[in-house]
Amino acid sequence: MNKKSATSDTLKQKIKGLKCRECGKLYPAVALHVCEFCFGPLEVDYNYDEIKKHISRERIENGPGSLWRYADLLPVEGPPTVGLYAGFTPLIEARNLGEELGLKKLYIKNDTVNHPTLSFKDRVVAVAITRARELGFTAVACASTGNLANSVAAHAAEARLKCYVFIPGDLEAGKILGSLIYAPTVVAVNGNYDDVNRLCSEVAGEFNWAFVNINIRPYYAEGSKTLAFETAEQLGWKAPEHVVVPVASGSLLTKIWKGFNEFKNLGLIDSVPTRVNGAQAEGCSPVASAFKEGRDFIKPVKPNTIAKSIAIGNPADGYYALKAVHESKGNIEAVSDAETVDGIKLLARTEGIFAETAGGVTIAVLKKLAMKGLIPRDETVVAYVTGNGLKTQEAVINAVGDVVRIDPSMDSFEKSLNIRGKT
């Protein structure tokens, strides 16, 4: 493992180092993800007193139209070098969907159009690969359920780095193709994501690669905060009252919660009234089960769901996701595969957004929370739709009907559609 310290004076001003989330032990800002004392996960420890001297709403608004407008709060030491166009995706006021669900102020944070690979992973990978280059790595790797593989492959190609991606053997064809096109080495493992992750943890110990979600994980995870930053800025420097977030490893949810609170603590927004709600598939819902059963620990499960991108049976940050939901007084719900497909179709029919299965889970959970009255009608709600449906077409191909086939004549058209006098 490369533990070269690239902590320059610039980075030292912004970052104190890496800090264990359990025992608080501090480490230098190198390629390290777990505490050598208690095995707790490490995260970036920022020097907020220093950051406060520079950051402001005006400074952010004058920044680039990407996630790098928040560079003061991201763990890179110099100017960004990879993923310069990732982030700052649309926050869409979903009037049609809101009307169907009885919600007056509903927004969709649409990361189905993120650059370059159409998922929120472009945020975390832009940060991770930039940091990997700063640390001197020449090869990058990841364990992935698809979207991360696509993004690491694309950003590695841009950065001219060798790339190895490890995926479950039963991944959707669209996501496999979405990685292969960038010419990485794609390793399909006969097993689920947890099997892939275990293998990659062993591989990471043997090779001098930057493993995006292992030894570079503390930097990678910070990219998710930009979803909270953008949401607050796009709402006019306000945090919403509810968010709905898909839960896989749990990292995304915890970092969104962290992002809103960082903005509050730096004086960029006045308050964080946000209730953070998690969304899982019933076929892989270890965090939702812990929440419903009142446990503060996660029981690993064997995934069995069409929502493969969030099918992590032993989520690394599940405990912290659960903690964030409790702190914010939110909820976690799980939905069936049939409800997931309905969620995909509902979002497409009402707002013209084609989401992948994780997005279907998010919309289905949003609907369930609204129907239960857990999201009041007049409060501001943001649902995070994190990946594009073109990658997971298998999930809905048998649920969308068929085309109307006609001969090339007006008579055939009118007879087939029985349309005359009805328009």
Side-chain angles (χ1 to χ4, degrees), residues 188-222:
V189 179
N190 294 324
N192 58 36
Y193 175 80
D194 299 294
D195 298 319
V196 175
N197 195 42
R198 275 193 295 274
L199 172 63
C200 286
S201 295
E202 294 179 23
V203 173
E206 294 293 324
F207 296 88
N208 187 32
W209 299 340
F211 252 99
V212 167
N213 49 349
I214 300 179
N215 57 357
I216 303 295
R217 185 178 182 86
Y219 311 101
Y220 150 87
E222 289 293 289

Side-chain angles (χ1 to χ4, degrees), residues 39 46 55 68 95 104 123 202 318 414:
F39 303 109
Y46 291 93
I55 202 165
W68 295 110
R95 292 190 179 90
K104 294 176 72 174
R123 300 172 179 275
E202 294 179 23
E414 290 186 352

Side-chain angles (χ1 to χ4, degrees), residues 105-157:
K105 292 183 283 188
L106 173 62
Y107 296 83
I108 301 296
K109 184 60 175 166
N110 186 14
D111 261 22
T112 70
V113 295
N114 216 335
H115 180 87
T117 65
L118 309 178
S119 90
F120 88 101
K121 293 295 186 182
D122 291 327
R123 300 172 179 275
V124 288
V125 173
V127 176
I129 303 293
T130 295
R131 185 62 182 147
R133 290 181 93 182
E134 291 178 346
L135 292 172
F137 287 100
T138 58
V140 295
C142 71
S144 174
T145 53
N147 282 327
L148 180 60
N150 293 174
S151 190
V152 169
H155 286 85

Side-chain angles (χ1 to χ4, degrees), residues 46-66:
Y46 291 93
N47 185 346
Y48 292 112
D49 290 337
E50 186 65 32
I51 293 170
K52 275 183 180 177
K53 296 177 183 176
H54 308 286
I55 202 165
S56 68
R57 292 181 181 178
E58 183 179 19
R59 179 179 168 90
I60 292 170
E61 289 168 346
N62 289 332
S66 70

Side-chain angles (χ1 to χ4, degrees), residues 368-389:
K368 185 172 280 191
L369 293 172
M371 296 302 106
K372 288 184 175 181
L374 295 172
I375 297 180
R377 175 180 175 81
D378 295 327
E379 295 191 343
T380 303
V381 187
V382 175
Y384 290 96
V385 175
T386 52
N388 196 295

